[in-house]
């Protein structure tokens, strides 16, 4: 008898308790300060030293000095913070928003403005 | 004599999240022999040590297994640090213990859930994983990652936790324990669980010793074996008494894990209480030369790391002996003489981590 | 379409490290609970509409993945979860690895991350639903 009573109290409690579910697509995801999402570059400050390219353990970052581009393949990136640590001008930062799933794998290419343009700006 | 039949089990099987293939030789319903075949997850990552620098190998070591990833990283770092004679700051060592024990709680809760699912107790699975998400929230808050977080580093740890945060975490741990208690009570007292597991998959103390069982599998058979007794890292200042059960069946292995969660929560509280202030890493100069065997305790048992440096930034050899690999011979022993319907429950009872085993 | 209302998924662990696998399982558990949308994780490829693959492809599981894919009924979609399944990242250099899942079977949606968060996996499955519907319509018109 006491078991049945216990069961009913649990059922009634569960009925009125707030749901544990985060209701994801309807509510925004919960992020913390340190949450690993994606790497973002501040293109004004980048000096194209290509240290991030050399140190990236998976080879996800590609720096082309002649074309003045910085590219990241988020399908290769393992979010290890290595590039953020080695960047001498701290122009790389980890953002909380994760990169979205896509139907084709493509790198995200960022053009780095030349020094003269930077001075003008 | 009944006719012998061979029933293939796996590699893709609903009860297993990971692929392992077993050929079960049956006589009617009784399993008489088992032939395992592995290699579905073999990546060959040990050879990567000749392509990645010894500091980048931490990321590879962490990706041997996603469940106990941090302890894999620590085991590897510990090996390299011993080779290079590095002195690790006390704070870093305590933080390693903190995340390591948190990983143990996360891994055991995950196992409790999966095991409950294997015996058809789905609501218990859901509740275990609900509590586990709270543990993952602590990981994400302190390091940024949910399962693989890359906090270990040769020479210390990469991230510090401030004292205010640690005090908050102590409250969070109490909350986890409060939510975990009713759950543990179900595992320890409910007759459904006992009915499915007691006297199933028996492993005697002699067999456990002879076949080289490690971790909870060995401890459930009465072997008080725990690598934390070696006093590596900050375990020097933290007393750990291995939890031992003597029954040797699936239920005993469950009880060991249920109790170890309490032990780990208690250890984390002691870490928060005792943690000294100071640096979190030492500067690493030069390259490793020499070899070392590093042994650490994982949620699944003892893991052995062998590293051999040759004085360049690449290692000569990197070898891992993971706990599931050691537990496969005892598993085959347990399966002999059980019925076909008990096979999933017994396979899960050693907490198989196939990606560790095959690397 | 009825499939869009409740797609059934099958999950296969290629050669992943378990990180993405437990995140796929975490999607089913109370905090994310994709069963709200009628999504059920099934063990039989013939029942499933969407194949979730975590981890890259190696010599041994190449045929297993192919078999699973061939057994699924049309229309079907494949979602590659995590950096390993997309490109193989540093494991692509290993002697035993072929690379991402797209080296063996056609992949419809790539989900980035190491390990991929449950939120991204849900997004990926939602994307795969659109692919499924497109395939269904193509089948009807053909």
């Amino acid at each position: 008898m006491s078991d049945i009573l216990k069961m009913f109290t649990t059922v009634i409690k569960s009925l009125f308790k707030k749901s544990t579910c985060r209701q994801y697509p309807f509510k925004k995801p919960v992020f913390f300060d340190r949450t690993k999402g994606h790497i973002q570059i501040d293109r004004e400050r980048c000096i194209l030293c290509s240290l991030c390219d050399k140190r990236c353990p998976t080879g996800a970052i590609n720096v082309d000095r002649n074309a003045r581009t910085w590219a990241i393949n988020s399908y290769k990136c393992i979010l290890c913070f290595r590039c953020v640590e080695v960047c001498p001008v701290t122009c790389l930062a980890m953002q909380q928003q994760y990169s979205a799933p896509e139907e084709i794998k493509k790198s995200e290419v960022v053009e780095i403005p030349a020094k003269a343009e930077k001075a003008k700006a | 004599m009944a006719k012998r039949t061979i029933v293939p089990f796996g590699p893709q099987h609903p009860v297993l999240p990971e692929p392992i293939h077993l050929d079960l030789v049956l006589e009617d319903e009784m399993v008489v022999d088992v032939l395992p075949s592995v290699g579905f997850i073999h990546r060959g990552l040990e050879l990567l040590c000749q392509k990645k620098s010894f500091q980048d190998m931490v990321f590879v070591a962490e990706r041997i297994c996603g469940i106990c990833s941090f302890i894999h990283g620590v085991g590897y770092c510990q090996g390299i640090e011993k080779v290079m004679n590095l002195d690790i700051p006390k704070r870093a060592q305590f933080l390693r213990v903190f995340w390591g024990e948190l990983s143990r709680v996360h891994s055991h809760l995950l196992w409790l859930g999966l095991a409950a699912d294997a015996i058809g107790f789905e609501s218990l699975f859901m509740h275990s994983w609900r509590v586990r998400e709270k543990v993952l929230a602590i990981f994400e808050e302190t390091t940024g990652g949910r399962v693989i977080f890359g906090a270990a580093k040769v020479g210390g740890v990469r991230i510090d936790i401030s004292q205010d945060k640690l005090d908050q975490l102590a409250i969070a741990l109490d909350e986890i324990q409060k939510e975990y208690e009713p759950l543990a009570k179900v595992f320890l007292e409910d007759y459904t669980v006992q009915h499915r597991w007691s006297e199933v998959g028996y492993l005697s103390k002699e067999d456990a010793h002879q076949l080289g069982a490690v971790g909870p599998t060995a401890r459930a058979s009465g072997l008080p074996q725990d690598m934390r007794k070696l006093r590596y890292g900050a375990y020097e200042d933290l007393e750990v008494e291995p939890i031992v059960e003597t029954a040797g069946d699936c239920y005993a292995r469950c009880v060991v894990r249920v109790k170890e969660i309490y032990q780990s929560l208690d250890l984390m509280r002691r870490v928060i209480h005792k943690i000294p202030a100071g640096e979190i890493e030492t500067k690493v100069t030069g390259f490793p030369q020499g070899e070392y065997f590093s042994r650490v305790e994982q949620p699944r048992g003892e893991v052995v790391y062998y590293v051999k440096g040759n004085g360049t930034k690449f290692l000569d050899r990197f070898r891992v002996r993971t706990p599931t690999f050691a537990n496969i011979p005892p598993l085959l022993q347990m399966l002999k003489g059980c019925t076909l319907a008990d096979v999933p429950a017994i396979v899960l009872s050693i907490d198989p981590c196939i990606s560790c085993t095959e690397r | 379409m009825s499939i869009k209302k409740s797609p059934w998924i099958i999950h296969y662990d290629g050669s992943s490290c378990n990180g993405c696998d437990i995140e796929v399982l975490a999607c089913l558990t109370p905090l994310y609970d994709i069963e709200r949308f009628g999504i059920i994780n099934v063990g039989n490829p013939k029942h499933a509409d969407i194949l979730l693959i975590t981890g890259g492809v190696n010599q041994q599981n190449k045929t297993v993945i192919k078999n699973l894919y061939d057994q699924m009924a049309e229309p079907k979609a494949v979602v590659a979860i995590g950096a390993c399944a997309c490109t193989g990242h540093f494991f692509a250099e290993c002697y035993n690895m072929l690379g991402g899942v797209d080296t063996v079977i056609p992949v419809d949606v790539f989900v980035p991350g190491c390990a991929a968060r449950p939120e991204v996996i849900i997004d990926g499955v939602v994307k795969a639903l659109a692919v499924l519907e497109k395939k269904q319509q193509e089948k009807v018109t053909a």
Side-chain angles (χ1 to χ4, degrees):
Chain A
M1 193 64 208
S2 68
D3 281 354
I4 294 174
L5 206 72
K6 222 158 92 189
M7 189 189 87
F8 272 112
T9 43
T10 319
V11 167
I12 288 167
K13 256 191 210 160
S14 310
L15 267 179
F16 292 102
K17 218 165 50 184
K18 219 181 117 227
S19 141
T20 341
C21 184
R22 276 189 188 159
Q23 308 285 349
Y24 162 61
F26 310 115
K27 281 186 188 160
K28 277 193 175 161
V30 187
F31 293 133
F32 295 98
D33 294 343
R34 286 197 60 94
T35 299
K36 294 177 188 179
H38 70 282
I39 300 286
Q40 202 168 43
I41 186 166
D42 180 355
R43 47 193 288 237
E44 298 298 320
R45 273 195 297 181
C46 180
I47 52 168
L48 286 171
C49 66
S50 72
L51 255 177
C52 46
D53 185 352
K54 275 176 209 145
R55 292 291 167 82
C56 179
T58 62
I61 299 177
N62 232 318
V63 177
D64 191 338
R65 281 190 177 181
N66 297 324
R68 297 197 69 84
T69 56
W70 179 92
I72 185 162
N73 184 347
S74 57
Y75 300 95
K76 267 190 179 178
C77 176
I78 53 167
L79 305 165
C80 63
F81 272 100
R82 196 70 201 266
C83 47
V84 181
E85 277 173 8
V86 296
C87 185
V89 290
T90 60
C91 71
L92 295 174
M94 185 67 82
Q95 296 292 316
Q96 291 160 2
Q97 180 60 46
Y98 48 79
S99 21
E102 290 294 340
E103 286 172 33
I104 25 166
K105 290 183 280 187
K106 56 171 191 280
S107 295
E108 183 194 324
V109 183
V110 179
E111 275 179 31
I112 309 295
K115 265 227 173 91
E117 285 172 38
K118 272 186 200 167
K120 244 187 252 169
Chain B
M1 199 184 104
K3 209 180 125 205
R4 289 201 167 189
T5 354
I6 296 180
V7 174
F9 180 82
Q12 196 268 334
H13 189 273
V15 78
L16 297 168
E18 296 174 274
I20 183 174
H21 180 86
L22 300 171
D23 277 319
L24 306 168
V25 182
L26 301 182
E27 265 175 21
D28 292 339
E29 278 289 289
M30 205 68 96
V31 179
V32 288
D33 204 5
V34 191
L35 288 168
S37 64
V38 291
F40 293 97
I41 317 196
H42 181 61
R43 288 160 284 183
L45 56 81
E46 284 173 1
L47 207 65
L48 268 183
C49 71
Q50 291 167 5
K51 289 179 183 163
K52 303 270 165 221
S53 75
F54 73 96
Q55 273 155 332
D56 282 353
M57 271 307 280
V58 184
F59 301 127
V60 180
E62 277 183 338
R63 280 161 184 79
I64 289 173
C65 169
I67 302 176
C68 28
S69 99
F70 181 74
I71 308 185
H72 270 296
V74 167
Y76 169 78
C77 291
Q78 195 173 288
I80 294 285
E81 282 151 9
K82 284 278 170 14
V83 170
M84 297 176 79
N85 283 322
L86 288 174
D87 221 9
I88 307 306
K90 265 266 137 69
R91 190 175 178 86
Q93 286 182 350
F94 271 87
L95 284 174
R96 279 181 181 183
V97 170
F98 182 78
W99 281 314
E101 292 302 323
L102 205 54
S103 300
R104 202 181 307 280
V105 173
H106 139 66
S107 171
H108 281 349
L109 278 172
L110 180 138
W111 178 83
L112 288 175
L114 286 180
D117 194 37
I119 60 169
F121 205 150
E122 193 143 341
S123 56
L124 201 53
F125 163 65
M126 293 290 180
H127 279 292
S128 306
W129 282 57
R130 177 177 56 86
V131 179
R132 177 179 158 268
E133 289 288 343
K134 300 229 144 103
V135 179
L136 294 189
I138 298 184
F139 279 143
E140 199 177 340
E141 204 179 343
T142 51
T143 64
R146 275 167 53 91
V147 284
I148 298 180
F149 41 85
K153 174 184 192 178
V154 176
V157 288
R158 298 166 90 196
I159 309 151
D160 199 1
I161 311 180
S162 68
Q163 199 55 48
D164 295 349
K165 183 90 344 117
L166 279 173
D167 294 338
Q168 283 172 25
L169 290 183
I171 301 167
L173 291 179
D174 288 342
E175 265 172 36
I176 289 171
Q177 175 144 2
K178 215 177 110 197
E179 290 210 17
Y180 171 65
E181 257 158 19
L183 205 67
K185 220 174 127 191
V186 177
F187 277 104
L188 295 179
E189 288 170 14
D190 193 79
Y191 70 88
T192 326
V193 177
Q194 284 178 7
H195 179 71
R196 267 313 289 274
W197 279 338
S198 51
E199 289 169 32
V200 169
Y202 176 69
L203 184 73
S204 69
K205 190 176 176 180
E206 289 72 37
D207 279 347
H209 182 73
Q210 293 241 311
L211 297 168
V214 291
T217 314
R219 290 199 281 275
S221 291
L223 285 179
Q225 186 212 43
D226 192 326
M227 285 312 117
R228 287 175 288 179
K229 291 287 269 184
L230 286 178
R231 298 300 187 74
Y232 63 87
Y235 289 110
E236 190 166 52
D237 305 322
L238 301 159
E239 193 73 30
V240 185
E241 231 4 90
I243 287 162
V244 180
E245 288 284 320
T246 47
D249 53 4
C250 288
Y251 186 64
R253 292 191 269 282
C254 169
V255 173
V256 167
R257 291 194 176 97
V258 167
K259 287 185 180 163
E260 273 186 8
I261 293 181
Y262 284 120
Q263 188 190 33
S264 294
L265 287 169
D266 183 48
L267 260 171
M268 277 185 277
R269 281 195 208 98
R270 267 149 64 196
V271 166
I272 291 173
H273 186 65
K274 274 189 173 170
I275 191 165
E279 290 288 303
I280 55 161
E281 57 174 301
T282 44
K283 213 167 155 40
V284 180
T285 46
F287 300 115
Q289 175 134 37
E291 53 187 345
Y292 190 75
F293 270 104
S294 153
R295 302 163 82 189
V296 288
E297 180 75 13
Q298 263 198 346
R300 291 169 181 75
E302 174 198 8
V303 58
V304 182
Y305 278 83
Y306 170 71
V307 287
K308 186 179 176 200
N310 55 2
T312 64
K313 77 175 183 179
F314 302 110
L315 296 175
D316 252 4
R317 187 79 172 92
F318 166 57
R319 174 93 178 89
V320 194
R321 203 294 311 267
T322 55
T324 310
F325 183 73
N327 275 337
I328 284 181
L331 169 68
L332 303 184
Q333 177 68 28
M334 286 172 214
L335 282 174
K336 279 174 198 164
C338 77
T339 55
L340 182 60
D342 279 333
V343 171
I346 297 175
V347 171
L348 265 179
S349 79
I350 65 156
D351 199 355
C353 178
I354 312 298
S355 58
C356 283
T357 316
E358 299 170 358
R359 301 176 297 280
Chain C
M1 282 295 136
S2 55
I3 285 178
K4 204 187 164 189
K5 294 285 181 211
S6 88
W8 285 11
I9 57 171
I10 179 169
H11 165 226
Y12 182 73
D13 175 335
S15 54
S16 91
C17 69
N18 265 346
C20 298
D21 299 311
I22 53 179
E23 294 294 57
V24 169
L25 278 181
C27 286
L28 299 168
T29 53
L31 210 62
Y32 295 97
D33 197 16
I34 51 171
E35 285 187 10
R36 281 175 296 161
F37 310 115
I39 300 176
I40 300 177
N41 190 9
V42 289
N44 188 335
K46 298 240 175 198
H47 295 175
D49 305 304
I50 301 175
L51 173 60
L52 305 183
I53 299 192
T54 52
V57 179
N58 66 15
Q59 301 288 0
Q60 189 146 4
N61 67 26
K62 184 169 75 177
T63 46
V64 180
I65 291 178
K66 259 204 174 123
N67 272 344
L68 273 179
Y69 181 76
D70 291 341
Q71 283 178 62
M72 284 170 68
E74 292 280 352
K76 54 195 169 190
V78 179
V79 184
I81 291 171
C84 296
C86 292
T87 57
H89 63 89
F90 48 52
F91 294 133
E93 295 169 39
C94 292
Y95 60 85
N96 199 30
M97 294 287 287
L98 301 172
V101 177
D102 49 348
T103 51
V104 186
I105 53 171
V107 175
D108 297 303
V109 180
F110 294 95
V111 176
C114 183
R117 290 172 64 85
E119 285 104 345
V120 207
I121 296 173
I122 296 175
D123 285 355
V125 173
V126 170
K127 262 224 154 100
L129 286 183
V131 175
L132 261 184
E133 201 173 22
K134 219 170 91 192
K135 282 188 181 172
Q136 178 103 349
Q137 268 167 6
E138 275 168 19
K139 216 181 151 195
V140 171
T141 49

